[in-house]
Amino acid sequence: ANMYTRVQRLCSQHTVKLYSTQTKIVTANGVSIPVTAGTDVSEEDHTKAVNAPKFTQWVNKITSKKDFYNLKSIHIQAVDMFGPHNVGFIKFKCQALDRDGDALPASIFMRGGAVAILVILKCNGKDYALLVRQTSLATGEPLFPAIPAGMLDGEGYFAGVAAKEIKEETGLVIDASELTDLIELTYGDRYEGMYVSVGGTDEFIRLYSYTKTITEEELNGLEGKLTGAKEENEKIVLTLVPLEDLWRTTSDSKALSAIALYEGLKKSGKLSEKE
């Protein structure tokens, strides 16, 4: 009896959540897709995931290209929420065929879109790139240098989000109209942004540039400045590097892509010296 009582007491101290596999039907472009979820995905998170803008936009994009994709089903393995309402990441597998009827690699990590900004500061005839340094747990790199960036969080106003991220990460207050859309200038409406890893994630980054002439005092005030959104536990240190050295200062893919587009656009005459 004593042992039974102890077992009861131990069990009452632990709660095990076991969700049954659910199925939801998502319809786009006349195609109905069954979307199941694993046993560790709650009914609430399952519902939020299938209604998340990044998920519905992706399904719509795939089903609109029937000559290339035949999407049969989707199985959601995990959902990471950013707060109670914002769907951050979705990990899922698909059953999908190509135009020849052959199975496609179909394991996807969905992050959605983001923005990144190449901030160029002109001082005494020299151009500098403004970088943010913060600890990257994913890469194991402390104080990794990168250009300012942030997720769209379902917002479609790219330039507005970019201006907001510049303010949060650097303290510079700018108007969205002051940004130059490097993706649009380069590709028109062909691509949403720079795709990070086309074999496994939908993530794209809209790349912008912003150029401003500042005084030497202002320039010195930015070096080593601590910034970041406190409510998001961001701890950012600003650093400046000569623009011509950016390519060998960091392996940040956003910075490397942005400087490549920036220099290519300048050579082609699509960017003025002021931009």
Side-chain angles (χ1 to χ4, degrees), residues 118 182 186 207 246 254-267:
L118 174 63
L182 300 176
T186 305
L207 298 171
L246 178 61
K254 303 182 300 297
L256 297 176
S257 297
I259 193 63
L261 293 186
Y262 178 81
E263 292 180 346
L265 288 166
K266 286 193 73 171
K267 289 178 182 178

Side-chain angles (χ1 to χ4, degrees), residues 163-258:
K164 172 175 169 285
E165 289 299 329
I166 287 181
K167 181 180 178 181
E168 286 184 359
E169 297 195 359
T170 71
L172 296 174
V173 179
I174 69 167
D175 189 89
S177 63
E178 298 178 86
L179 293 165
T180 298
D181 191 333
L182 300 176
I183 295 294
E184 183 179 23
L185 275 179
T186 305
Y187 304 110
D189 59 1
R190 184 180 179 188
Y191 298 119
E192 296 172 293
M194 180 269 293
Y195 289 101
V196 176
S197 179
V198 296
T201 180
D202 70 315
E203 182 182 14
F204 68 88
I205 301 178
R206 194 81 174 193
L207 298 171
Y208 290 88
S209 67
Y210 168 69
T211 302
K212 182 180 182 180
T213 299
I214 62 175
T215 65
E216 188 172 347
E217 182 180 358
E218 290 173 319
L219 189 77
N220 293 334
L222 288 171
E223 181 64 46
K225 182 179 179 181
L226 299 176
T227 64
K230 291 183 179 179
E231 66 275 10
E232 298 175 13
N233 293 324
E234 284 186 330
K235 298 176 182 178
I236 293 172
V237 180
L238 302 184
T239 189
L240 293 150
V241 298
L243 186 63
E244 62 186 13
D245 293 334
L246 178 61
W247 64 276
R248 57 186 172 190
T249 300
T250 177
S251 63
D252 173 39
S253 63
K254 303 182 300 297
L256 297 176
S257 297

Side-chain angles (χ1 to χ4, degrees), residues 58 62 69-73 94-98 101-106:
W58 179 83
I62 295 297
Y69 304 110
N70 183 1
L71 184 59
K72 296 289 190 180
S73 64
C94 306
Q95 182 186 5
L97 307 177
D98 65 13
D102 296 324
L104 288 165

